[in-house]
């Protein structure tokens, strides 16, 4: 019993990170019908922004308490990553908006490589750890170990996902996003500033990746290539949940987290990717649009 | 200026540069280094490159290497294998074509094994400083190494767990995708179980994983006395920290892939008091080793790790073999390398018994106060 509860906690921790990154894939796909393969690397860059701002803040003589440094780091990383994503969108994707969709996807792959190799060349290949701004305390409740880091990850990702969901569902901007996703040609005629909404979508999606990045950074280590694998798993999460659907991305993220942990817990870990991808294939055979996804045809009616 | 004049000028420039590139007599020996400068273990590559440059500089500063009554300048060609098996093989191929006399590297077994196949086929003498997997040299005539092999290291680790840590049950978590980790984990298990003890958890992961909580939860539930982590310094801190977070309290220990000071930076207090088996300990060094350590510290501002020391020894072996051979010829150098029976290196005395594998002692290091300190030795 303890064993299962412990593994569920492990899975929730990992699933939160996948869910946060999957949001970026799903939002961009929802609005542009394009898979932003640079998203995993944007996530990677966010952890480095967090690393440098946390190190900078810790080095000051202000003696800020760890919690404030953590919140500031989170905000700086979210802002910095949002600017980076909007910049990439303007420079690399916007000129291709009328081009075949494959061009934008290839550009995204290229941007990912540029981000990886720029980080590699300027910061170096060594793995790094985020400064410990949150004191690590390990509790044991009925034999189940929980650390402060785990609690922070679970709570913050839940709050942030709730806020995003509210923005998309309840605000005018969110309504505009959903409208563009529904029909990109008619919506501008209603006076919706499409370019601005697309920028906001990129900014929001990437700041979610930054939250994921900082939470990942305090639990694990960061390196220039970390975005590749995590990015793939998050992308699969988005597909499993139904790409284009925000709640689907969250569900998908947690499902992938559970698959990864439970396969390793009950089978040799070498089976992990095999089982995960087999599940994905089976799911897509029976429900090609993912768990919460809607068929595209329906939207075009 | 019209086009003709421009073309003529271009041809002239090319001709001049060609003749300028051609040295009159090649009084040089080229040595190639196949190192992990980027990828998963960049510090290993950096140490290897640093030590290689230092070894070559020492010889060149002394006027060059005297071979058959003639002085030769050593030229180094360092190539990055990105810590990938296929790149390591490609680098070996490239160095072979570039006409190096000896191939030093690769360091990690997962890169050294493919590189060794290329060198064996090309009849190019290769010395790996750090690859401890038996497959690197097994059945090969042109491949040598400067370190002991995992068959020995796994046994040392198992004996250490039984005798010094008084363990009855052990758990192992290792990278199943990497030759080195897998080899040593299996030998550890075999030796430990032959002594009548039990390996209660034998868990795996794949290179690049960052989350080990599922496996470590299993290991904690198994109640193992000790946890053996024969993994690279870039992953061990995460494994140790996650084990502690999950409430594992047994002693954790590892192998020579821990032997990098980066480990302490990444791991912090979590690694305090842990042990690992390795090639040498700076605090019990011989005079020759002391001199090497001092020079290295003066040049690079840090203590040399085991990769640096072993690379230096690999160069020492290469230089001695070239001198014994008495001529610049790969076959002769290979024969000279194979005939070395004893070599005093900075990592201790190596004895060769007709194979590419030296017989040498291992040391066990404890991490104490943020430093690697000598704990005990284990003779073969």
């Amino acid at each position: 019993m303890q064993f299962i509860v412990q593994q569920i906690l492990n899975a929730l921790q990992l699933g939160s990170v996948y869910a946060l990154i999957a949001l970026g894939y799903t939002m961009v796909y929802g609005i542009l019908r394009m898979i932003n393969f640079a998203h995993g690397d944007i996530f990677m860059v966010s952890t480095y922004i967090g690393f440098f701002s946390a190190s900078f803040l810790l080095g000051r003589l202000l003696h800020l308490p760890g919690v404030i440094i953590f919140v500031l780091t989170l905000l700086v990383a979210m802002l910095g990553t949002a600017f980076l994503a909007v910049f990439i969108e303007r420079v690399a994707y916007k000129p291709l908006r009328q081009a075949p969709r494959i061009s934008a996807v290839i550009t995204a792959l290229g941007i990912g490589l540029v981000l990886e190799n720029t980080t590699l060349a300027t910061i170096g290949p060594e793995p790094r750890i985020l400064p410990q701004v949150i004191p690590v305390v390990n509790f044991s409740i009925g034999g189940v170990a929980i650390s402060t880091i785990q609690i922070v990850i679970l709570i913050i990702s839940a709050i942030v996902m709730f806020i995003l969901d509210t923005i998309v569902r309840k605000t005018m901007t969110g309504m505009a996003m959903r409208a563009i996703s529904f029909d990109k040609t008619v919506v501008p005629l209603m006076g919706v500033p499409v370019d601005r909404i697309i920028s906001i979508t990129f900014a929001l999606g990437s700041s979610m990746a930054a939250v994921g990045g900082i939470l990942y950074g305090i639990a694990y280590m960061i390196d220039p290539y970390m975005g590749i694998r995590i990015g793939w798993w998050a992308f699969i999460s988005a597909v499993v949940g139904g790409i284009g659907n925000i709640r689907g991305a969250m569900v998908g993220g947690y499902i992938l987290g559970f698959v990864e942990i439970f396969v390793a817990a009950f089978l040799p870990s070498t089976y992990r990717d095999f089982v995960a991808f087999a599940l994905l294939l089976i799911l897509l055979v029976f429900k090609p649009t993912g768990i919460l996804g809607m068929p595209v045809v329906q939207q075009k009616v | 200026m019209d086009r003709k004049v421009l073309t003529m000028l271009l041809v002239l420039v090319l001709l001049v540069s060609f003749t300028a590139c051609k040295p009159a007599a090649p009084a040089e020996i080229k040595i190639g280094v196949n190192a992990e400068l980027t990828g998963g273990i960049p510090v290993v590559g950096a140490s290897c490159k640093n030590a290689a440059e230092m070894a070559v500089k020492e010889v060149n500063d002394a006027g060059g290497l005297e071979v058959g009554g003639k002085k030769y300048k050593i030229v180094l060609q360092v190539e990055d294998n990105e810590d990938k098996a296929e790149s390591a093989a490609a680098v070996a191929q490239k160095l072979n074509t570039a006409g190096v006399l000896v191939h030093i590297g690769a360091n990690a077994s997962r890169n050294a094994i493919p590189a060794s196949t290329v060198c064996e086929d090309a009849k190019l003498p290769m010395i790996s400083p750090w690859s401890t997997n038996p497959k690197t040299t097994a059945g090969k005539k042109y491949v040598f190494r400067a370190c002991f092999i995992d068959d020995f290291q796994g046994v040392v680790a198992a004996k250490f767990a039984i005798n010094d840590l008084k363990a009855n049950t052990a758990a192992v978590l290792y990278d199943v995708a990497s030759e080195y980790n897998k080899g040593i984990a299996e030998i550890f298990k075999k030796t430990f179980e032959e002594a009548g003890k039990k390996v209660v958890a034998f868990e795996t992961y794949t290179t690049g994983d960052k989350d080990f909580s599922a496996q470590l939860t299993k290991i904690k539930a198994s109640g193992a006395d000790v946890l053996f982590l024969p993994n690279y310094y870039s992953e061990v801190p995460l494994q140790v920290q996650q084990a502690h977070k999950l409430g594992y309290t047994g002693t954790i220990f590892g192998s020579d892939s821990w032997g990098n000071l980066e480990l302490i930076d990444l791991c912090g207090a979590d690694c305090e008091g842990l042990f690992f088996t390795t090639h040498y300990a700076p605090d019990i060094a011989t005079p020759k080793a002391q001199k090497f350590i001092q020079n290295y510290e003066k040049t690079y501002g840090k203590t040399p790790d085991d990769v640096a020391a072993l690379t230096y020894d690999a160069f020492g072996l290469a230089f001695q073999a070239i001198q014994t051979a008495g001529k610049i010829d790969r076959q002769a150098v290979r024969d000279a390398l194979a005939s070395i029976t004893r070599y005093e290196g900075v990592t201790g005395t190596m004895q060769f018994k007709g194979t590419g594998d030296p017989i040498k002692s291992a040391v066990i290091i404890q991490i104490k106060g943020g430093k690697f300190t000598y704990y005990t030795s284990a003779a073969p």
Side-chain angles (χ1 to χ4, degrees):
Chain A
M1 190 59 208
Q2 280 170 17
F3 182 74
I4 298 289
V5 175
Q6 184 75 61
Q7 296 291 19
I8 291 175
L9 266 177
N10 297 340
L12 284 174
Q13 175 182 338
L14 200 60
S16 300
V17 177
Y18 288 154
L20 284 168
I21 308 166
L23 286 170
Y25 279 106
T26 233
M27 288 174 77
V28 169
Y29 183 83
I31 202 159
L32 286 181
R33 292 280 172 269
M34 168 204 148
I35 296 158
N36 181 14
F37 278 120
H39 193 64
D41 295 301
I42 291 176
F43 155 78
M44 177 274 294
V45 173
S46 79
T47 62
Y48 276 94
I49 298 177
F51 173 80
F52 286 112
S53 51
S55 313
F56 175 80
L57 289 168
L58 270 183
R60 300 297 102 180
L61 296 167
L62 295 166
H63 295 300
L64 293 170
V67 181
I68 295 191
I69 294 185
F70 175 71
V71 174
L72 284 176
T73 304
L74 197 63
L75 291 177
V76 171
M78 286 170 77
L79 263 179
T81 315
F83 273 114
L84 174 73
V86 171
F87 174 72
I88 290 173
E89 196 272 323
R90 280 288 150 90
V91 175
Y93 302 156
K94 198 178 165 198
L96 294 172
R97 212 167 285 160
Q98 305 308 324
R101 215 173 290 150
I102 187 82
S103 313
V105 171
I106 292 168
T107 309
L109 284 169
I111 295 284
L113 286 173
V114 168
L115 292 177
E116 271 162 34
N117 289 297
T118 312
T119 316
L120 188 70
T122 52
I123 302 171
E126 302 83 19
R128 288 164 193 266
I129 42 164
L130 237 55
Q132 293 285 341
V133 284
I134 299 176
V136 186
V137 185
N138 301 322
F139 307 99
S140 177
I141 302 171
V144 177
I146 306 175
S147 71
T148 40
I149 291 196
Q150 223 157 9
I151 297 172
V152 167
I153 290 179
L154 296 183
I155 293 180
I156 291 196
S157 43
I159 293 176
V160 167
M161 283 190 260
F162 175 75
I163 294 175
L164 180 78
D165 195 60
T166 314
I167 290 177
V168 173
R169 269 161 210 281
K170 301 273 164 73
T171 64
M172 284 301 276
T173 315
M175 193 196 273
M177 283 178 190
R178 283 180 289 138
I180 295 175
S181 133
F182 199 79
D183 193 329
K184 217 172 12 181
T185 42
V186 179
V187 168
L189 303 176
M190 318 279 183
V192 175
V194 175
D195 282 341
R196 202 165 77 209
I197 299 294
I198 289 177
S199 292
I200 294 175
T201 309
F202 268 88
L204 273 177
S206 311
S207 53
M208 291 300 117
V211 177
I214 301 301
L215 296 181
Y216 184 88
I218 58 170
Y220 307 102
M221 267 192 286
I222 64 174
D223 65 78
Y225 292 118
M226 64 189 274
I228 302 171
R229 182 172 182 280
I230 307 281
W232 274 112
W233 279 73
F235 168 62
I236 300 164
S237 304
V239 174
V240 165
I243 194 155
N245 183 302
I246 289 192
R247 289 186 178 175
M250 301 177 194
V251 172
Y254 285 106
I255 290 178
L256 265 280
F258 271 85
V259 168
E260 179 166 346
I261 293 291
F262 277 84
V263 171
F266 293 105
L267 294 170
S269 70
T270 23
Y271 283 58
R272 190 188 55 210
D273 291 11
F274 160 70
V275 172
F277 287 94
L279 277 180
L280 173 74
L281 283 177
I282 295 169
L283 179 85
L284 291 183
V285 166
F286 290 103
K287 198 154 183 340
T289 52
I291 293 170
L292 296 179
M294 303 276 263
V296 179
V297 199
Q298 201 182 322
Q299 297 176 352
K300 287 246 168 93
V301 175
Chain B
M1 216 187 298
D2 77 339
R3 219 180 179 150
K4 245 183 207 164
V5 181
L6 210 72
T7 321
M8 294 243 296
L9 265 175
L10 202 75
V11 169
L12 210 71
V13 167
L14 276 173
L15 274 175
V16 169
S17 56
F18 266 121
T19 40
C21 279
K22 218 183 248 169
E28 287 180 347
I29 296 173
K30 202 187 241 184
I31 296 185
V33 175
N34 187 341
E36 288 78 354
L37 299 178
T38 60
I41 46 171
V43 182
V44 166
S47 290
C48 176
K49 183 168 173 266
N50 286 349
E53 281 167 356
M54 204 176 109
V56 169
K57 189 171 177 290
E58 280 173 13
V59 170
N60 285 344
D61 284 355
L65 194 68
E66 197 175 320
V67 184
K70 200 175 159 207
K71 291 262 189 185
Y72 288 88
K73 197 168 169 282
I74 308 286
V75 184
L76 208 56
Q77 180 168 352
V78 183
E79 296 285 342
D80 178 18
N81 63 32
E82 303 166 307
D83 189 20
K84 286 184 195 150
E86 63 275 18
S87 307
V91 164
Q93 199 67 264
K94 184 175 175 186
L95 292 173
N96 177 39
T97 329
V100 301
L101 182 62
V102 183
H103 173 288
I104 308 280
N107 294 297
S109 293
R110 57 183 175 227
N111 309 321
I113 293 169
S116 72
T117 320
V118 174
C119 288
E120 180 71 15
D121 289 345
K123 298 196 187 321
L124 167 63
M126 156 172 166
I127 309 174
S128 170
W130 199 54
S131 163
T132 47
N133 192 294
K135 284 184 198 164
T136 308
T137 55
K140 290 171 190 136
K141 281 204 170 89
Y142 291 83
V143 186
F144 301 83
R145 67 175 109 216
C147 53
F148 49 65
I149 58 172
D150 290 335
D151 289 359
F152 169 59
Q153 191 174 202
V155 171
V156 168
K159 284 187 180 156
F160 171 71
I162 297 164
N163 300 331
D164 295 60
L165 302 177
K166 311 273 176 247
N168 284 313
T169 52
V172 184
L173 173 66
Y174 68 97
D175 182 352
V176 73
S178 179
E179 297 270 10
Y180 163 82
N181 312 43
K182 191 165 172 277
I184 198 164
E186 278 161 3
I187 291 151
F188 173 85
K189 182 169 188 257
K190 191 167 154 258
T191 318
F192 198 73
E193 285 180 340
E194 274 170 6
K197 313 286 180 179
K198 258 181 125 167
V199 172
V200 286
F202 200 60
E203 296 297 320
T204 60
Y205 66 94
T206 314
T207 318
D209 282 4
K210 298 278 169 72
D211 188 295
F212 311 97
S213 55
Q215 294 94 321
L216 289 167
T217 302
K218 250 170 143 177
I219 286 169
K220 191 198 161 198
S222 76
D225 294 338
V226 291
L227 170 57
F228 182 47
L229 298 175
N231 306 317
Y232 288 99
Y233 70 86
S234 51
E235 285 161 342
V236 166
L238 276 177
Q239 292 161 355
V240 171
Q241 283 163 354
Q242 288 176 19
H244 286 162
K245 269 182 204 146
L246 289 165
Y248 183 77
T249 49
T251 305
I252 303 174
F253 64 111
S255 54
D256 68 307
S257 48
W258 285 33
N260 195 296
L261 291 166
E262 188 94 343
L263 177 87
I264 293 171
D265 291 344
L266 294 171
C267 196
D270 278 290
C271 281
E272 189 65 22
L274 306 190
F275 302 91
F276 64 93
T277 57
T278 193
H279 307 273
Y280 95 129
D283 45 351
I284 55 148
T286 57
K288 183 174 180 181
Q290 293 291 5
K291 191 169 153 262
F292 161 72
I293 293 168
Q294 276 167 15
N295 281 345
Y296 193 93
E297 280 174 344
K298 212 165 66 195
T299 318
Y300 301 109
K302 54 187 167 196
T303 318
D305 52 19
D306 56 347
V307 183
L310 290 168
T311 305
Y312 189 81
D313 279 353
F315 270 87
L317 282 167
F319 293 151
Q320 188 178 321
I322 296 169
Q323 281 179 319
T324 315
K327 53 183 171 180
I328 313 303
D329 175 66
R330 286 181 182 177
Q331 185 63 41
V333 171
R334 182 261 151 207
D335 293 342
L337 266 174
S339 69
I340 294 177
T341 49
R342 194 183 157 87
Y343 178 77
E344 287 285 342
V346 299
T347 59
T349 307
M350 306 176 189
Q351 287 182 42
F352 288 90
K353 295 209 166 128
T355 64
D357 306 325
I359 296 161
K360 58 199 280 195
S361 307
V363 294
I364 289 158
I365 296 250
Q366 186 174 26
I367 300 169
K368 247 195 212 162
K371 278 204 179 95
F372 290 161
T373 41
Y374 173 78
Y375 184 77
T376 181
S377 294

